[in-house]
Amino acid sequence: AQTVTQSQPEMSVQEAETVTLSCTYDTSESDYYLFWYKQPPSRQMILVIRQEAYKQQNATENRFSVNFQKAAKSFSLKISDSQLGDAAMYFCAYRSRFNKFYFGSGTKLNVKP
Amino acid sequence: GAGVSQTPSNKVTEKGKYVELRCDPISGHTALYWYRQSLGQGPEFLIYFQGTGAADDSGLPNDRFFAVRPEGSVSTLKIQRTERGDSAMYLCASSLGQGETQYFGPGTRLLVL
């Protein structure tokens, strides 16, 4: 079975600074997708960024980018120019080729003004 | 357009009672997912529908849990003989099709006393 591990339960970053959230996963599949989701307090989970495993190029979405290391099974999220609105729980997720999703336990990001 | 909606937003019930949780996906989304999220944890997959049929129900914890999607749109998660351990946030997500981006609802917080 696939597993997703987020080893940082909580992190803090100063406003305007850069922070990197870590995620590793375990799988025997070669074709899969990886995601980062954001869950603000008492609000809905929203997609931040996605990465197809067959693509070597790292995905970017404005201030958000990933460092995808397929051989190492690592998928970290970098947030540049952190803003107060970035404060939330961040979940790393893996989607298998059978369309089943596995989520990590989350990293709580605090942004300090 | 409207996003994924879930009703009720909160449900308090007594141990042993039966509950139904409803999910209205985004119009036109053929795939629908149910997750359970315990406090401080990531979402845990329960069941995935493609159209009217359950494509994967391997995450349902036991036979007290059942879900339907009779017309390929609205889905209901049914829990019989509720137990205190069933207390959690139940999340629903939908996507345009298999493998597409999931959009999450706000969740139903279930408390079993």
Side-chain angles (χ1 to χ4, degrees):
Chain A
Q2 285 76 15
T3 58
V4 178
T5 302
Q6 293 180 249
S7 59
Q8 305 153 318
E10 188 166 359
M11 293 193 70
S12 294
V13 62
Q14 205 72 33
E15 197 176 5
E17 296 295 310
T18 295
V19 64
T20 298
L21 308 184
S22 301
C23 173
T24 58
Y25 57 95
D26 186 26
T27 185
S28 57
E29 296 178 336
S30 59
D31 184 20
Y32 52 87
Y33 287 73
L34 296 165
F35 304 82
W36 278 98
Y37 281 89
K38 170 185 176 181
Q39 189 176 41
S42 301
R43 293 185 63 187
Q44 288 169 239
M45 191 159 333
I46 58 174
L47 177 69
V48 175
I49 197 165
R50 63 182 270 169
Q51 173 81 43
E52 294 86 346
Y54 64 85
K55 289 187 177 180
Q56 293 186 342
Q57 186 173 5
N58 289 324
T60 62
E61 285 288 341
N62 301 313
R63 298 183 294 108
F64 300 87
S65 61
V66 299
N67 183 4
F68 173 47
Q69 302 290 329
K70 190 172 184 179
K73 297 178 183 175
S74 170
F75 183 61
S76 61
L77 174 69
K78 185 172 83 170
I79 306 174
S80 304
D81 186 25
S82 297
Q83 300 176 359
L84 295 178
D86 295 334
M89 284 291 289
Y90 285 81
F91 293 97
C92 178
Y94 171 103
R95 196 204 89 201
S96 75
R97 62 190 180 96
F98 299 109
N99 211 33
K100 189 170 178 178
F101 282 78
Y102 301 85
F103 284 80
S105 55
T107 297
K108 182 180 180 183
L109 179 65
N110 304 304
V111 181
K112 300 177 180 179
Chain B
V4 178
S5 62
Q6 292 185 246
T7 54
S9 54
N10 291 280
K11 177 71 176 178
V12 181
T13 190
E14 294 178 344
K15 180 175 178 295
K17 298 290 188 182
Y18 168 83
V19 296
E20 289 189 352
L21 311 180
R22 176 187 169 108
C23 173
D24 278 89
I26 294 172
S27 178
H29 280 198
T30 62
L32 185 145
Y33 307 79
W34 281 101
Y35 296 89
R36 179 168 67 177
Q37 186 178 23
S38 300
L39 200 60
Q41 298 296 316
E44 175 191 5
F45 171 85
L46 295 177
I47 186 170
Y48 152 56
F49 287 91
Q50 182 60 45
T52 60
D56 185 340
D57 65 358
S58 61
L60 295 177
N62 51 60
D63 62 5
R64 295 187 297 105
F65 287 74
F66 190 70
V68 295
R69 195 186 185 200
E71 297 178 358
S73 179
V74 171
S75 177
T76 304
L77 178 66
K78 308 180 180 192
I79 311 175
Q80 298 177 321
R81 305 183 303 280
T82 52
E83 299 178 357
R84 293 192 179 89
D86 298 335
S87 297
M89 175 74 84
Y90 289 82
L91 297 173
C92 175
S94 70
S95 67
L96 194 57
Q98 184 174 335
E100 298 295 323
T101 297
Q102 290 184 95
Y103 295 87
F104 281 83
T108 293
R109 187 171 296 282
L110 176 66
L111 177 61
V112 182
L113 301 176

